[in-house]
Amino acid sequence: MRKLYIGNKNYSSWSMRPWVLMKQADIPFEEVKVRFDSFAPDSHFKKTMGAINPVAEVPALVDGDLVVWDTLAIAEYLAETFPEKQLWPRAAAERARARSICAEMHAGFGKLRSLCPMNIEASLAEVGARLLKDNPALQADLDRIVQMWSGLLEAHGGPLLFGGFSIADSYFAPVGTRIKTYGLPVPPAISAYIERVQALPGVKAWIDDALAEKDFVAFNEPYRTAR
């Protein structure tokens, strides 16, 4: 049985992506959660993950003797291993577009990721309003998300970015949680898309597990001192 190593579900957006992808696509795996204690070299987290992959990070997929780390690499490996699941869109042009936006998420949206870390359990709308007021680059990231999602939903008719579920939806699922946690204003069509994604069984299962966690990880909590 392949194993997927992940971090805390409330906080680890990169772990969420392949977990949701595999759950939603009904790809069997064993979850191995390595809780965040610290990212210092001598932390339990770093020691545990350092024994699994050379960058000592999550997520990591172990499939027999093969170890695949990095979220996008895991997604590509799964798409090649399970072609019948059609994890990327069927048409070549749509696959290229889907890969482009996933790569954009992978490398971009720096202010959204740094100022609004994923925190599914929290409700931080007042923080979100202040952050938007003080950080034009955060508003620019949000505007780009709205532009991207709106264009894809219009082009493909929904209900998801490329019609049916794909890697792209799993890749942006954590962004939807950030928008809700920080109360970031988006048009009704975008809010409706977020709700549809969060109703998917794989996404709902992750969110339910995140809400059930009891850990408070201070270095992932720039805006609170307790749950």
Side-chain angles (χ1 to χ4, degrees):
M1 173 69 73
R2 63 191 62 84
K3 296 181 179 181
L4 182 67
Y5 287 78
I6 64 169
N8 292 60
K9 290 183 176 177
N10 191 49
Y11 301 112
S12 184
S13 60
W14 292 112
S15 297
M16 182 181 183
R17 293 175 168 102
W19 193 99
V20 163
L21 179 63
M22 296 175 79
K23 280 287 186 181
Q24 192 62 28
D26 197 24
I27 297 172
F29 69 98
E30 176 186 344
E31 171 192 312
V32 182
K33 184 189 293 185
V34 184
R35 286 182 166 83
F36 295 155
D37 57 340
S38 166
F39 293 153
D42 61 347
S43 66
H44 172 74
F45 174 82
K46 282 295 186 182
K47 287 181 178 178
T48 300
M49 291 312 302
I52 302 300
N53 70 74
V55 295
E57 294 178 354
V58 289
L61 179 67
V62 178
D63 194 358
D65 294 332
L66 176 66
V67 181
V68 186
W69 61 96
D70 182 274
T71 301
L72 194 52
I74 293 171
E76 290 284 12
Y77 173 73
L78 292 170
E80 291 182 358
T81 304
F82 299 95
E84 72 279 6
K85 300 292 187 179
Q86 293 186 350
L87 300 180
W88 289 116
R90 184 186 299 271
E94 292 182 354
R95 286 198 303 276
R97 182 75 180 276
R99 284 187 167 102
S100 294
I101 65 169
C102 288
E104 184 179 354
M105 180 70 249
H106 206 64
F109 301 103
K111 285 299 182 183
L112 178 66
R113 288 159 55 184
S114 63
L115 294 176
C116 301
M118 192 171 84
N119 193 333
I120 291 172
E121 178 270 337
S123 180
L124 300 169
E126 291 184 3
V127 172
R130 173 169 53 82
L131 290 171
L132 280 175
K133 179 181 178 182
D134 295 342
N135 296 276
L138 175 59
Q139 183 66 62
D141 279 355
L142 185 62
D143 291 345
R144 171 58 185 142
I145 289 288
V146 169
Q147 177 195 46
M148 176 196 296
W149 291 359
S150 297
L152 290 169
L153 290 169
E154 181 178 353
H156 298 98
L160 303 178
L161 294 179
F162 290 87
F165 176 77
S166 73
I167 290 169
D169 299 295
S170 68
Y171 230 76
F172 284 95
V175 175
T177 74
R178 285 175 159 104
I179 288 171
K180 292 188 72 170
T181 292
Y182 295 92
L184 304 179
V186 293
I190 299 303
S191 294
Y193 166 69
I194 292 171
E195 293 301 324
R196 291 194 296 272
V197 168
Q198 295 191 352
L200 294 171
V203 180
K204 184 178 184 301
W206 178 279
I207 291 174
D208 288 346
D209 288 351
L211 294 175
E213 286 182 345
K214 302 302 181 184
D215 296 342
F216 181 84
V217 180
F219 63 82
N220 277 114
E221 292 274 3
Y223 309 116
R224 302 192 301 176
T225 57
R227 288 186 71 156

